[in-house]
């Protein structure tokens, strides 16, 4: 609805394609100031121009950062805070799929770094601005793939035995556990995770080639973004936190995703891997 998000600042990661772009465009059309966090400056500029045209206003900002590199996450957060002391919505959408094990400049396994540690760190670094914008919302894009997660606490970076799909599924489980613990720790904001459906993005077709055969049945980015948009904007979910949504409705995630002790343990490990105090 036009004007519904007027006066609100929404930060969206992975905003130059797919679900992220569709989410950012929809929130801008509702009147929000939208901050596009992206790795490629040219794509970010082109996406900004497209959203400005469709939304009918110029309150669309770009922040360039490679979320695989923790120093760039810090820099992005500082830039966002400098422009917007109060943030009302953070959509952690950016994700990557790597067929072979890769490490970032920080020595982190790539999928763990981008798909879990980056949203964990960025959310932490923006927390003061989110509190200033309270009641604020953190929406993290997970996946039903979390049901296939399988990991060892003593090898969370999968140095001993790497499996690309397993690494992705693990990160999607971590998204939900992070959301669960964030909801427990941060009363000033709501935190919810969601499944977008099987969406025909570059992430899908670049990662799982056999799924090209299912293309006629796969959702568009706009369809996949609906639940993220709903969680970011709808008054119906204003008081809901720590939940997992699918098709704009709360669902039960896997038993592993409901384990509070695992959520606390993951938070501590993530804090250590990102150089944050475990109790922050």
């Amino acid at each position: 609805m036009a004007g519904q998000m007027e006066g609100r600042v929404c930060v969206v990661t992975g905003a130059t394609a797919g679900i992220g772009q569709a989410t950012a465009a929809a929130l801008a059309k509702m009147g929000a100031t939208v901050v596009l966090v992206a790795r490629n400056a040219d794509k970010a500029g082109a996406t900004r121009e497209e959203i400005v045209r469709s939304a009918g206003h110029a309150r669309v900002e770009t922040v360039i950062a490679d979320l695989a590199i923790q120093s760039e996450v810090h820099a992005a957060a500082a830039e966002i805070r400098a422009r917007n002391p109060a943030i009302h919505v953070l959509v952690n959408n950016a994700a990557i799929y790597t067929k072979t094990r890769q490490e970032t400049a920080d020595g982190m396994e790539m999928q763990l770094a981008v798909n879990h540690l980056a949203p964990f760190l960025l959310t932490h670094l923006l927390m003061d601005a989110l509190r200033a914008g309270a009641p604020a919302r953190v929406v993290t894009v997970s996946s039903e793939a979390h049901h296939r997660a399988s990991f060892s606490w003593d090898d969370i970076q999968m140095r001993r035995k790497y499996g690309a799909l397993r690494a992705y599924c693990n990160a999607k489980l971590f998204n939900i556990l992070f959301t669960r613990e964030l909801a427990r720790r941060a009363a000033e904001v709501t935190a919810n995770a969601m499944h977008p459906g099987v969406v025909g993005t570059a992430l899908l077709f670049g990662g799982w080639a056999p799924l090209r055969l299912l293309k006629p049945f796969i959702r568009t980015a706009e369809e996949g973004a609906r639940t993220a948009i709903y969680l970011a904007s709808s008054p119906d979910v204003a008081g809901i936190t720590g939940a997992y949504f699918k098709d704009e409705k709360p669902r039960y995630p896997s038993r592993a995703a409901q384990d509070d002790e695992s959520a606390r343990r993951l938070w501590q490990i993530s804090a250590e891997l990102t150089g944050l105090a475990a109790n922050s």
Side-chain angles (χ1 to χ4, degrees):
M1 182 183 300
Q4 180 179 341
M5 298 293 285
E6 195 80 32
R8 300 182 72 77
V9 176
C10 302
V11 178
V12 183
T13 69
T16 59
I19 297 166
Q21 182 174 352
T23 301
L27 294 173
K29 288 178 182 177
M30 293 179 188
T33 294
V34 177
V35 182
L36 313 176
V37 181
R39 184 173 57 178
N40 185 290
D42 291 338
K43 288 183 178 180
T47 300
R48 180 188 180 277
E49 291 179 5
E50 183 177 337
I51 292 177
V52 166
R53 284 195 300 270
S54 65
H57 66 78
R59 297 186 304 277
V60 183
E61 305 172 6
T62 61
V63 173
I64 308 306
D66 183 345
L67 298 181
I69 302 171
Q70 292 182 15
S71 62
E72 295 202 21
V73 178
H74 278 270
E79 185 176 348
I80 294 167
R81 291 195 311 267
R83 297 183 194 169
N84 303 283
I87 296 170
H88 304 92
V89 177
L90 169 60
V91 180
N92 290 311
N93 164 75
I96 194 171
Y97 182 90
T98 57
K99 294 181 180 179
T100 59
R101 190 181 187 279
Q102 301 174 29
E103 287 195 355
T104 69
D106 302 307
M108 304 294 156
E109 189 274 314
M110 184 66 73
Q111 291 201 66
L112 178 70
V114 176
N115 300 353
H116 167 61
L117 294 178
F120 175 87
L121 179 57
L122 183 63
T123 302
H124 176 88
L125 296 172
L126 294 180
M127 189 53 65
D128 285 348
L130 286 163
R131 290 189 176 109
R137 306 181 183 192
V138 177
V139 179
T140 300
V141 178
S142 180
S143 169
E144 286 287 85
H146 82 274
H147 285 279
R148 297 185 61 183
S150 175
F151 70 96
S152 299
W153 287 113
D154 63 351
D155 190 29
I156 201 168
Q157 298 208 56
M158 301 180 71
R159 290 192 172 96
R160 291 197 295 268
K161 186 177 181 181
Y162 180 81
L165 181 56
R166 188 160 62 93
Y168 183 82
C169 295
N170 289 350
K172 296 294 103 179
L173 170 62
F174 297 161
N175 291 155
I176 303 175
L177 291 173
F178 158 66
T179 295
R180 193 176 186 89
E181 183 67 3
L182 178 62
R184 188 183 72 83
R185 289 172 177 253
E188 307 92 336
V189 306
T190 62
N192 293 293
M194 48 79 63
H195 169 62
V198 181
V199 180
T201 63
L203 177 68
L204 175 70
F205 295 125
W208 302 304
L211 290 179
R212 295 175 192 273
L213 301 175
L214 299 177
K215 192 169 183 178
F217 310 101
I218 290 172
R219 293 180 176 182
T220 65
E222 289 73 22
E223 291 169 337
R226 284 176 185 166
T227 300
I229 297 162
Y230 174 74
L231 291 173
S233 64
S234 175
D236 295 343
V237 291
I240 298 176
T241 191
Y244 174 70
F245 279 76
K246 177 182 176 183
D247 295 329
E248 301 180 20
K249 295 180 181 179
R251 310 281 186 171
Y252 286 109
S254 69
R255 184 174 296 180
Q258 300 178 57
D259 188 328
D260 289 334
E261 179 55 36
S262 290
R264 286 189 286 269
R265 188 172 183 179
L266 177 66
W267 187 281
Q268 180 177 2
I269 292 171
S270 302
E272 293 169 354
L273 292 176
T274 54
L276 302 175
N279 62 352
S280 58

